[in-house]
Amino acid sequence: MSEIIVNKNEKSKLSGYHIYLVIVALFGWALASYDFNLLVLTMPNIAQDLHLSATFIGLLAFIIYAAEFVITMFVGYGMDKVGRRWMWQFSLIFAAIFTGLTFFVQNYLQLAVIRALASGFALSELSISITLVNEQLPANKRGLLYSIVQGGWPLGVFFASGVYLLLIRYGWRTVFLLGVLPIIFVIIARTWVRESDRFLHIQKVKKALAEGNKAEVERLLKIYPVEINEANKVTWQQLFGEKGYVRNQVTKLTIIWLSYATAYVATNVYINYWLVTYLGWSEAAAARLVLISSGIGYFFYIIGGYLGEKIGRKWVMVYSAILATIFNLLFLFVHTQFLVSIIYFVIYQVTNGTWSGAGYAYIGESFPTRVRGTAIGFLGAMFSGGLLIGSAIWTVLISAVSPTLTWVIIAVIISLGAWVTISLPNIKPGTELEDISK
């Protein structure tokens, strides 16, 4: 195991390696978004080619969200077991393999299995990135720099749109096959990414505890403090086994992330369908609104990160959650294309840019190193779980009650659960991870 070298005087300095890490993480997350959105864009082509009904398309989304839930859980545990860097490469390699295998799909079963695995490993990128990157960035710049990484999502949307427009003439299979090339480039770039010194440290602490080497334990605790009574427990047990800060934090964040993701289904997943079906927009106009919102939205991720450094990430999340609920309700009372566009633009930014720019950095700093990977993987799975729940509720309600009531229940009432953010502890920007929790 590598030696841990921590220079206390260098902790707040931004190095060339930090910039490299942020760039590699940014491209990794952009490519995860790219892979996910390629399926969204090519779905009409795939449905026509494989003769899929609307029912099978809906079932495909359910299967993919379920795979994301399971794989992200597994990856979270793996981060604390074998390492952040190892899982980062493992997930992206498998995402590349299954993205490429999409080229050979011939029937619905093959499509469901391969795309579930491709999307599951691609989306687990987020949880690993949050953990590894936040553990290595200087504390006084952590939130702002990580917001740059989170902005990879709208970049992936644009990348996927461009590739689709250029290559769809050669068939949807070609679009996926050529999508493997940039992923391979990032895999190679990650060979120079270091393992987190905090992960290496906790592994050394566990080893010293197992050997009964008290002197080594004392030496290591002078580098980073650790709650040694918890260190050797199974990480799932550390999350939920004992009352206290960790269980309280993960419980509140579970409610928040499930509510946020469930409401997200209405405002981000089915929004094109809503605009076209219920407001009478053309498909081109709906797509244009989402593309403009996501394109400009990159800068709102940075704004969220910047504001998080100034007023605290919790408060950016609080204001984003409140604005989301208010504007989701206002959305029902405007009808002209101009006003709908303005209202939706705000909805997109507070449910994506400012929320993500601050929120994911917040969960990245909320847990001790000994359980950080498992906790963030769990919350990543809760996001997929929320999408799963939201899709199920939408499917049931949209045919049973009015579209307006469906929107109110999912986008307005359920979004109130994200207001639990108000009860979270406020983490002062610039605080070292070990001073937040041990």
Side-chain angles (χ1 to χ4, degrees):
M1 189 179 294
S2 303
E3 184 58 40
I4 304 160
I5 302 174
V6 179
N7 185 335
K8 302 286 185 180
N9 295 323
E10 296 295 319
K11 277 187 175 182
S12 62
K13 291 186 178 180
L14 184 66
S15 68
Y17 171 74
H18 292 135
I19 296 172
Y20 177 76
L21 178 65
V22 167
I23 292 172
V24 171
L26 168 64
F27 277 99
W29 183 226
L31 288 173
S33 167
Y34 164 77
D35 177 86
F36 180 87
N37 286 287
L38 274 185
L39 181 62
V40 174
L41 291 164
T42 57
M43 186 52 68
N45 309 92
I46 295 172
Q48 183 178 12
D49 188 35
L50 298 182
H51 310 291
L52 304 180
S53 67
T55 301
F56 278 106
I57 295 298
L59 180 59
L60 179 63
F62 179 88
I63 293 170
I64 289 174
Y65 290 148
E68 290 171 6
F69 180 89
V70 173
I71 290 173
T72 306
M73 284 275 199
F74 159 75
V75 165
Y77 177 78
M79 280 192 280
D80 286 328
K81 191 70 175 177
V82 299
R84 287 79 159 111
R85 180 179 179 274
W86 193 93
M87 292 304 299
W88 217 22
Q89 287 286 51
F90 174 85
S91 294
L92 198 59
I93 287 169
F94 273 82
I97 290 171
F98 288 108
T99 295
L101 287 176
T102 308
F103 179 85
F104 301 100
V105 163
Q106 297 298 319
N107 56 54
Y108 182 77
L109 179 60
Q110 292 173 1
L111 175 70
V113 172
I114 288 174
R115 289 313 306 166
L117 291 170
S119 296
F121 282 111
L123 269 293
S124 69
E125 167 83 16
L126 175 59
S127 297
I128 308 170
S129 173
I130 293 169
T131 308
L132 178 63
V133 176
N134 279 288
E135 285 183 344
Q136 297 193 44
L137 292 177
N140 62 338
K141 301 177 181 69
R142 187 170 58 230
L144 178 59
L145 289 173
Y146 193 73
S147 69
I148 296 173
V149 176
Q150 279 298 128
W153 183 264
L155 292 182
V157 174
F158 269 95
F159 186 27
S161 300
V163 170
Y164 175 82
L165 291 172
L166 286 172
L167 300 177
I168 192 58
R169 71 189 72 175
Y170 303 109
W172 60 268
R173 290 180 174 84
T174 303
V175 173
F176 283 101
L177 185 63
L178 294 182
V180 175
L181 296 178
I183 298 177
I184 292 174
F185 173 78
V186 174
I187 290 170
I188 294 171
R190 284 185 179 176
T191 59
W192 290 278
V193 170
R194 306 167 192 162
E195 179 58 272
S196 161
D197 61 354
R198 287 179 164 92
F199 172 75
L200 296 174
H201 175 266
I202 195 67
Q203 293 301 98
K204 283 182 172 288
V205 170
K206 290 178 180 179
K207 184 173 182 292
L209 286 170
E211 294 172 348
N213 190 339
K214 294 183 179 180
E216 177 66 0
V217 171
E218 291 178 4
R219 184 188 75 82
L220 291 168
L221 294 185
K222 291 177 182 178
I223 300 175
Y224 292 124
V226 176
E227 181 58 69
I228 58 175
N229 292 329
E230 297 288 327
N232 273 324
K233 293 180 180 178
V234 175
T235 49
W236 290 111
Q237 185 180 357
Q238 293 180 51
L239 275 188
F240 299 105
E242 300 287 339
K243 291 183 179 179
Y245 169 81
V246 170
R247 190 164 77 178
N248 288 341
Q249 191 75 338
V250 78
T251 300
K252 289 178 181 178
L253 285 170
T254 295
I255 295 170
I256 293 164
W257 244 253
L258 280 174
S259 302
Y260 161 68
T262 301
Y264 187 92
V265 166
T267 58
N268 287 269
V269 176
Y270 289 115
I271 187 61
N272 283 47
Y273 178 83
W274 181 277
L275 293 171
V276 173
T277 305
Y278 302 116
L279 297 186
W281 287 32
S282 67
E283 288 86 350
R288 189 160 50 245
L289 174 60
V290 174
L291 281 176
I292 291 172
S293 299
S294 63
I296 299 174
Y298 177 82
F299 299 100
F300 280 83
Y301 284 81
I302 310 301
I303 290 169
Y306 174 79
L307 291 175
E309 295 288 8
K310 296 299 180 182
I311 65 174
R313 287 172 263 287
K314 166 190 168 176
W315 293 111
V316 177
M317 294 167 66
V318 168
Y319 298 139
S320 296
I322 292 172
L323 286 172
T325 302
I326 292 172
F327 277 83
N328 287 351
L329 182 60
L330 286 175
F331 185 77
L332 294 172
F333 295 95
V334 294
H335 304 289
T336 67
Q337 194 168 91
F338 176 74
L339 288 178
V340 169
S341 298
I342 295 298
I343 295 295
Y344 182 72
F345 181 84
V346 176
I347 290 172
Y348 187 93
Q349 306 318 330
V350 296
T351 58
N352 288 276
T354 56
W355 176 275
S356 297
Y360 285 101
Y362 181 88
I363 66 172
E365 61 192 11
S366 284
F367 300 97
T369 300
R370 58 186 165 82
V371 74
R372 185 173 293 119
T374 303
I376 294 174
F378 178 80
L379 292 172
M382 291 304 102
F383 179 76
S384 297
L387 296 179
L388 198 63
I389 293 169
S391 297
I393 295 174
W394 178 280
T395 302
V396 170
L397 290 181
I398 202 68
S399 58
V401 300
S402 69
T404 298
L405 183 56
T406 300
W407 181 276
V408 168
I409 291 172
I410 298 176
V412 180
I413 295 175
I414 292 179
S415 74
L416 290 170
W419 290 29
V420 174
T421 306
I422 296 171
S423 69
L424 292 173
N426 187 36
I427 299 172
K428 184 179 178 181
T431 306
E432 290 291 343
L433 295 177
E434 290 70 33
D435 294 332
I436 298 168
S437 58
K438 294 181 181 180

